[in-house]
Amino acid sequence: MVRKREFDTDKALDAAMHVFWLKGFEATSLTDLTTAMGIQRPSLYAAFGDKKELFEHVLRRYTTFHAAEIRARLGQGDSVREAVQEIFEWIAAKGGAGNPAYGCFCINTMVELAPHDPKFAVLTREHQMYLAVIFREVIERGQRSGELAGGINAGLVAQSLVVSMIGITVLMKSGPDRQFVEQSIQAALSVLK
């Protein structure tokens, strides 16, 4: 007979995410994880596999929520330009998902693991590509409404916005001058003119 889990999987994953986000993959110990998650090692292994598999679960959870947040924010209001600007201002204010010092969990993974782990290179690249699709859809909506010029290449502009978003997210980790950030946002948004 299969034994029922005695912990909330979503809460455990969120706790693990917080630890990984704060410390990174390599610096996080199993003790850090089990303490934060409120579970024992056997339960961690039974539910999520080893540390790397747990990290993958957490990354997938994060990218799902992050993409949904970006899509929801871009879907607000009638103006595409204002919606995209709001995304960039949100990133500048909150680091894109919380404390600017934490940065973006996916970007942190891209920097720490993707260069030497093909699985995480693919997962982080897939998230970037999915964000570009979300931006492209919004740009095309602006083109249909007449707010944006029909002649711009929506796919390339979307990719440019994702690159700029990643750059500003990383930049915010260092506590840059606010004017520098604002000017960078305006330069990134200039592709929509």
Side-chain angles (χ1 to χ4, degrees):
M1 182 170 181
V2 177
R3 189 172 168 195
K4 186 179 180 221
R5 274 200 190 116
E6 297 177 4
F7 63 90
D8 182 317
T9 302
D10 290 338
K11 286 182 181 177
L13 285 170
D14 288 342
M17 183 186 308
H18 179 75
V19 176
F20 280 131
W21 205 339
L22 180 65
K23 298 181 93 172
F25 177 78
E26 291 298 331
T28 298
S29 70
L30 283 173
T31 301
D32 294 332
L33 292 167
T34 56
T35 300
M37 296 167 76
I39 63 175
Q40 300 299 315
R41 283 185 191 205
S43 295
L44 184 150
Y45 292 131
F48 307 110
D50 64 15
K51 179 180 159 184
K52 191 177 258 186
E53 289 171 303
L54 172 61
F55 190 88
E56 181 180 344
H57 284 288
V58 168
L59 178 63
R60 288 180 186 278
R61 182 173 174 81
Y62 173 85
T63 58
T64 298
F65 287 130
H66 185 250
E69 178 77 14
I70 296 291
R71 184 179 290 285
R73 286 178 178 274
L74 285 172
Q76 296 174 357
D78 295 326
S79 170
V80 169
R81 281 189 189 102
E82 289 175 9
V84 173
Q85 181 165 348
E86 191 277 330
I87 286 286
F88 279 84
E89 290 174 357
W90 170 65
I91 289 167
K94 301 284 186 190
N99 182 339
Y102 283 28
C104 167
F105 189 78
C106 186
I107 294 170
N108 295 350
T109 303
M110 186 172 38
V111 172
E112 182 182 13
L113 296 178
H116 54 269
D117 190 313
K119 177 183 271 187
F120 291 105
V122 168
L123 290 174
T124 56
R125 191 168 46 249
E126 285 174 349
H127 185 57
Q128 295 161 38
M129 291 169 32
Y130 186 61
L131 292 178
V133 168
I134 294 170
F135 274 105
R136 189 194 76 232
E137 290 169 355
V138 171
I139 292 163
E140 289 171 346
R141 185 181 83 213
Q143 289 176 310
R144 285 190 302 276
S145 73
E147 180 185 357
L148 301 178
I152 65 173
N153 184 319
L156 292 178
V157 169
Q159 291 173 4
S160 176
L161 290 171
V162 171
V163 169
S164 295
M165 187 172 72
I166 290 169
I168 289 172
T169 303
V170 172
L171 178 70
M172 294 313 298
K173 290 181 80 161
S174 68
D177 176 72
R178 190 67 198 174
Q179 183 178 7
F180 184 84
V181 173
E182 288 301 324
Q183 290 170 342
S184 299
I185 290 172
Q186 292 311 310
L189 296 175
S190 69
V191 298
L192 294 174
K193 293 185 174 154

